[in-house]
Amino acid sequence: MCGGKIKSIHARQVLDCNGRPVVEAEIVTQGGAAGCAGASTGTSVGSGEAFVLRDGDPGFYSGLSVCKAVRNVNEIIAPALIGMDVEKQEEIDDKLIELDGTKRKTRLGGNAIFAVSAAAAYAAADLKNMQLYESMTKKRPRYLFAPASNVINGGRCGGIKQDFQEFMIVPKGITSVKEAIRMVVEIFMYLPELIAKETGREVDLGSYSGHAAPDEDPFAVMDLLERAVGKLGYKKNICYALDCAATGYYDVQEKAYRYRGKLRGREEMIAVLKKLSMSYPFAFMEDVLEENDFEGFAAARKQLNTVVVGDDLLCTDKERIQKAVKIGAADGVIFKPNQAGTVTEALEAARYAKEQGMLVIPSGRAGGVLDDPEKEIGFAYEFHMFKTGAPREGSRTADINFMLRTEEKTGIPMLDIEKLPIMAHLGEAGY
Ligand code: PEP
Ligand code: MG
């Protein structure tokens, strides 16, 4: 049988869901199976992530075009991979790693490599006439992850600067995706009305497609969220999550955080987050400190009344996760396969984290594409929550619709995160 042997690989430049150029690769096998995938990219990017190769010509797509990466697929990767078997993902990914030869995939571009790696996974699924999650593991998943949905965004908007990047809502105490998504969407739709009433301001579109934060004080934002949730009667079934994306407001020269207009040290930032975590039920807090402060994360982990998760800190990188485990820097990891650069490396990192008892939370990227594979991988390997973004942009609604469709087709229930031992703090009274 040679049906799975690669006959052709072709890449092109298309657009991500935010209109930025992105590499898309298409693989066709000798038996006629096909797989196509784009390499999504982030806006807040960890320095340990696989390198995104952009052309950098300011006069052409504002420097964001990916023609060199596309050429690297068509001229270097394609000839080397022809004849390889799409069902041997590890061999394909090893070959991609070898062709590049650098730790962060700076030669060919992590975006060139990842598009091919993901396209191979999709082609292997097509060969078996399966969906990607079915083709990745023979085990039927016992549950589908719960959504962590971004509703209020930080950034600068309308004269207000909120330093934290994402305020999320997370359904708990239920096992129905349909119900979870309904609650999320109703809260998201009600928030503009409540914010307008409370602040007298029209709500702007936030940088991550959520609502722009109406206040620079995170406690004020959380109060608004609590009020929205309470008004709709969902208090029992909603908790929260926060992505501080702290590297974004860290001043490397000053070795301090520019938070709410003042320079603050690590301890001061931990104290703010500790108070937040004691005041509201948080499922997790992500990137609470700058991306290389493993010791600081370990100190935060001891003090915060929530699960500390690493995104820019860990970059879906097994070595960084091992380091975090060794010093107790985090209890959870954001899973973004393109950060690692190949499907195999990302999966190895996430499975290792799960074996260590960590929460694994797949996430789309700010520059997402509809065929991002992390939702399928996350379902196949029973990861715990999914950062679905705000329920209104293409790649994010694609993720949410995957959840709705999968529940309906398979009858597999959603994970009730309240039942996870690591979430014991949510059951404690006093919020
Ligand atoms: C994040 O930081 O978790 C995120 C989704 O954003 P980006 O894709 O910009 O990394
Ligand atoms: Mg993040």
Side-chain angles (χ1 to χ4, degrees), residues 41-45 49 165-166 208 243 286 311 336 363-367 387 396:
T41 57
T43 299
S44 80
V45 176
E49 290 191 24
Q165 182 178 280
E166 290 172 65
Y208 275 75
D243 183 359
E286 175 184 341
D311 172 16
K336 293 172 172 170
S363 168
R365 302 304 308 253
K387 276 184 70 175
R396 306 315 188 117

Side-chain angles (χ1 to χ4, degrees), residues 57-107:
D57 173 356
F60 194 69
Y61 279 102
S62 306
L64 296 176
S65 59
V66 291
C67 303
K68 283 184 211 156
V70 164
R71 227 178 297 127
N72 287 344
V73 175
N74 292 335
E75 293 174 11
I76 301 171
I77 294 174
L81 262 59
I82 302 288
M84 289 187 80
D85 187 342
V86 289
E87 289 196 275
K88 303 216 164 107
Q89 183 78 40
E90 281 180 31
E91 282 179 24
I92 287 176
D93 290 344
D94 281 348
K95 186 78 190 170
L96 289 166
I97 292 164
E98 181 197 316
L99 281 173
D100 180 83
T102 67
K103 163 81 180 134
R104 285 189 51 232
K105 302 176 175 65
T106 44
R107 190 172 96 85

